[in-house]
Amino acid sequence: MDVARGEVLVISTSVACRSCQARHGVVCGALSAGQLSELGRHSLRRKVDAGCEIIAQGSENSFYSNITRGVVKLCKVMSDGRQQIVGLQFAPDFVGRPFVRESTLSAEAATDAEICVFPRNLLERMILETRELQRSLHAQALNELDAAREWMLTLGRRTAEEKVASLLHLIAAHAETATSTAFDLPLSRAEIADFLGLTIETVSRQLTRLRKEGVIRIENIRHITVPDMDALAKKISG
Amino acid sequence: MDVARGEVLVISTSVACRSCQARHGVVCGALSAGQLSELGRHSLRRKVDAGCEIIAQGSENSFYSNITRGVVKLCKVMSDGRQQIVGLQFAPDFVGRPFVRESTLSAEAATDAEICVFPRNLLERMILETRELQRSLHAQALNELDAAREWMLTLGRRTAEEKVASLLHLIAAHAETATSTAFDLPLSRAEIADFLGLTIETVSRQLTRLRKEGVIRIENIRHITVPDMDALAKKISG
DNA sequence: ACGGAGATTTGATCTGGATCAAATCGCAAT
DNA sequence: ATTGCGATTTGATCCAGATCAAATCTCCGT
């Protein structure tokens, strides 16, 4: 299986997909014990470092994954180098585009991550055979579509300050901590710029502006705390 | 059934969903004869005028539709009035967001259109019961997601001229004519601006610029011809 | 044909965010 | 600690597209 570079932790030849046991991925959560066993015999658990490309834009979709830890960014780049991040995915999301031969975007680990990798053919067969899997991937697709459309509003109609506040709000919502009042940014300034359709300088300026206004504290370059989440929300025009 | 304003052409009490017979909608194309019959007994064929709101943002999703003719725009508006068109749908697309109670966007006929309207509960039951319907709606959701992400790149990273060229290209691709070298714009300048994240003035200026460059001819306000489709495509950086 | 109102185009000016340039920071290797 | 280098911040200036303003154009109703 030709998958992304990265350390192979376990070749799952056990009866179930080991990668997803602890934290059910979208796929594995929808399968029967028998199917999990079959999938497990053909799946790989992979640890990927930040920056590792999981799927390359324009490459053949030869495998799919569940994210079991970390954050994955979906990115489109133009021939002249301009690029746009078109989605962020978190555990336990499914990564891939079923039923299309060539990927129109790249998927790259934004943080260190773990993914569970399945061969394309096997998964597509299971989708067609298994109503619950079809249902759960349909549900994820609809959720991603909602998120993409929400982000289209941000890209098309919000100001730079609103864009940055929207991103912080989005990250906070997916943060692991219960309070989510303090979190690590899974993205560099350049990646934030590519997500928001801005330049790194503008991102940096808007972050320091939010800091000076007391809406956020920048503990260090990758760590933010939000004293009052409502104050942040108020920066985003609904 | 509390549906959009518009003339009711046929109350389909026949054995099949009359609205979709001629030109299968996504839903009706996936149903067995028996299911079509049941759906037909509860569906309405509606003719809606341009501008007619089919679904209101924030309203309850109480029905779904197939488009059988015309173009429908999906729109999100902010409390201060800024708005963004987040999708265009053409026959035979399905319109609606299954499994979510409240709509996060509005759907409005961009041109005069015909839709076939089903009650929510019936359709959701059929989705859960019918693998082929689940499959075809999943496929549409994935296609819309691809389109939304492609548009995110346009919104975030393309210039005004590239944006306008992208829109013309998109419309041409969905035009009815075989050549698609001449087509009617289903959108006003204001709607184009809301789709592209621009102002109407900028849209107008870029259209006249493309005209002066000889890439398009503006036969009249709503009708465009493209002498050389490749010249248009070259305006869009890949 | 004649208003009239909204839609569109065109012109003049302004500005938010881009671009160009230069510190400064963070951190890994020595 | 020191060096070196990429990431980030900060500053100065520019410009694509917004905003403000005014013609035109379309098309409807009379």
Side-chain angles (χ1 to χ4, degrees):
Chain A
M1 211 187 327
D2 179 29
V3 298
R5 291 179 306 279
E7 181 193 357
V8 180
L9 293 186
V10 176
I11 298 178
S12 302
T13 52
S14 69
V15 289
C17 175
R18 278 191 190 157
S19 315
C20 303
Q21 276 181 335
R23 175 151 196 185
H24 268 345
V26 161
V27 169
C28 295
L31 297 179
S32 67
Q35 289 174 312
L36 261 184
S37 164
E38 183 181 3
L39 193 70
R41 263 178 272 120
H42 299 278
S43 68
L44 289 177
R45 183 181 189 174
R46 288 209 147 242
K47 183 173 184 169
V48 293
D49 293 332
C52 172
E53 189 172 61
I54 298 169
I55 301 171
Q57 184 171 349
S59 71
E60 188 180 347
N61 277 319
S62 52
F63 59 91
Y64 300 126
S65 316
N66 270 340
I67 304 172
T68 53
R69 187 175 59 78
V71 180
V72 171
K73 60 177 183 174
L74 306 179
C75 194
K76 292 176 87 83
V77 330
M78 297 172 31
S79 48
D80 62 5
R82 284 178 284 177
Q83 63 182 73
Q84 177 68 44
I85 293 179
V86 298
L88 284 186
Q89 304 202 276
F90 301 84
D93 289 346
F94 170 79
V95 177
R97 171 59 168 94
F99 310 122
V100 162
R101 191 161 201 292
E102 185 174 310
S103 180
T104 60
L105 46 74
S106 70
E108 191 173 310
T111 62
D112 292 348
E114 281 178 33
I115 60 179
C116 176
V117 180
F118 329 110
R120 170 192 163 117
N121 292 338
L122 177 58
L123 187 67
E124 290 191 351
R125 201 191 78 212
M126 284 188 174
I127 292 174
L128 296 177
E129 283 171 356
T130 311
R131 178 165 303 167
E132 178 56 20
L133 180 56
Q134 175 95 250
R135 195 206 57 72
S136 89
L137 289 179
H138 186 192
Q140 182 181 319
L142 289 169
N143 286 335
E144 285 181 44
L145 185 56
D146 287 346
R149 286 173 169 162
E150 184 61 36
W151 209 253
M152 287 173 73
L153 180 65
T154 298
L155 287 173
R157 291 302 186 196
R158 289 205 233 257
T159 64
E161 187 183 35
E162 291 171 338
K163 284 179 175 184
V164 170
S166 297
L167 178 74
L168 294 177
H169 198 77
L170 177 73
I171 303 284
H174 283 275
E176 308 277 322
T177 58
T179 69
S180 73
T181 191
F183 50 86
D184 287 318
L185 289 175
L187 304 175
S188 69
R189 300 293 186 267
E191 290 171 317
I192 293 173
D194 282 339
F195 199 13
L196 297 173
L198 300 171
T199 58
I200 54 176
E201 294 94 331
T202 299
V203 169
S204 175
R205 278 185 245 272
Q206 295 302 332
L207 282 170
T208 68
R209 190 218 279 232
L210 288 171
R211 174 173 58 71
K212 283 178 181 166
E213 287 176 338
V215 176
I216 60 173
R217 263 181 298 154
I218 302 180
E219 306 297 349
N220 70 52
I221 241 163
R222 287 283 188 133
H223 195 78
I224 302 284
T225 75
V226 181
D228 175 7
M229 196 54 72
D230 289 343
L232 179 62
K234 245 184 300 187
K235 288 288 168 186
I236 309 164
S237 177
Chain B
M1 213 185 328
D2 179 29
V3 297
R5 290 181 304 280
E7 181 192 356
V8 179
L9 295 186
V10 175
I11 299 179
S12 304
T13 51
S14 68
V15 290
C17 177
R18 279 189 191 160
S19 314
C20 304
Q21 275 180 335
R23 178 154 192 181
H24 268 346
V26 162
V27 169
C28 295
L31 296 179
S32 68
Q35 290 173 312
L36 261 183
S37 163
E38 182 180 3
L39 193 70
R41 264 179 272 120
H42 298 278
S43 68
L44 288 177
R45 183 183 190 173
R46 289 210 145 239
K47 182 173 185 169
V48 292
D49 293 332
C52 173
E53 188 172 61
I54 298 169
I55 300 170
Q57 183 170 351
S59 71
E60 190 181 344
N61 276 320
S62 51
F63 59 92
Y64 300 126
S65 316
N66 270 340
I67 305 173
T68 52
R69 187 175 60 78
V71 180
V72 171
K73 60 179 182 171
L74 306 179
C75 194
K76 291 178 87 85
V77 328
M78 296 173 29
S79 48
D80 63 5
R82 284 177 286 176
Q83 61 182 75
Q84 176 68 44
I85 294 180
V86 297
L88 284 186
Q89 303 202 277
F90 302 84
D93 288 347
F94 169 79
V95 177
R97 172 57 169 93
F99 311 120
V100 161
R101 191 161 201 292
E102 185 175 311
S103 179
T104 60
L105 45 76
S106 70
E108 191 173 311
T111 62
D112 292 348
E114 282 178 32
I115 59 178
C116 175
V117 181
F118 330 109
R120 170 193 163 118
N121 291 339
L122 177 57
L123 186 67
E124 290 191 351
R125 202 191 75 212
M126 284 188 173
I127 292 174
L128 296 178
E129 284 171 356
T130 311
R131 179 163 304 165
E132 179 54 21
L133 180 56
Q134 175 93 252
R135 196 206 57 73
S136 88
L137 290 178
H138 186 193
Q140 181 181 320
L142 289 169
N143 287 334
E144 285 182 44
L145 185 56
D146 287 346
R149 286 174 169 161
E150 184 61 37
W151 210 252
M152 287 172 74
L153 180 64
T154 299
L155 287 172
R157 290 303 185 195
R158 289 205 233 256
T159 65
E161 187 183 36
E162 291 170 337
K163 284 179 175 182
V164 170
S166 297
L167 178 73
L168 294 177
H169 198 76
L170 177 73
I171 303 286
H174 282 276
E176 307 277 323
T177 58
T179 70
S180 73
T181 192
F183 50 87
D184 288 316
L185 290 175
L187 303 176
S188 70
R189 300 295 186 266
E191 290 172 317
I192 293 173
D194 282 340
F195 199 13
L196 297 173
L198 299 171
T199 59
I200 54 176
E201 294 93 333
T202 298
V203 169
S204 176
R205 277 185 245 272
Q206 295 302 332
L207 282 171
T208 69
R209 188 216 281 229
L210 288 172
R211 175 173 58 70
K212 285 177 180 166
E213 286 176 339
V215 176
I216 61 174
R217 264 181 297 154
I218 303 180
E219 307 296 350
N220 71 50
I221 241 160
R222 285 287 186 131
H223 196 78
I224 303 282
T225 74
V226 181
D228 176 8
M229 195 54 72
D230 289 343
L232 179 61
K234 246 184 300 187
K235 289 289 168 185
I236 309 163
S237 177

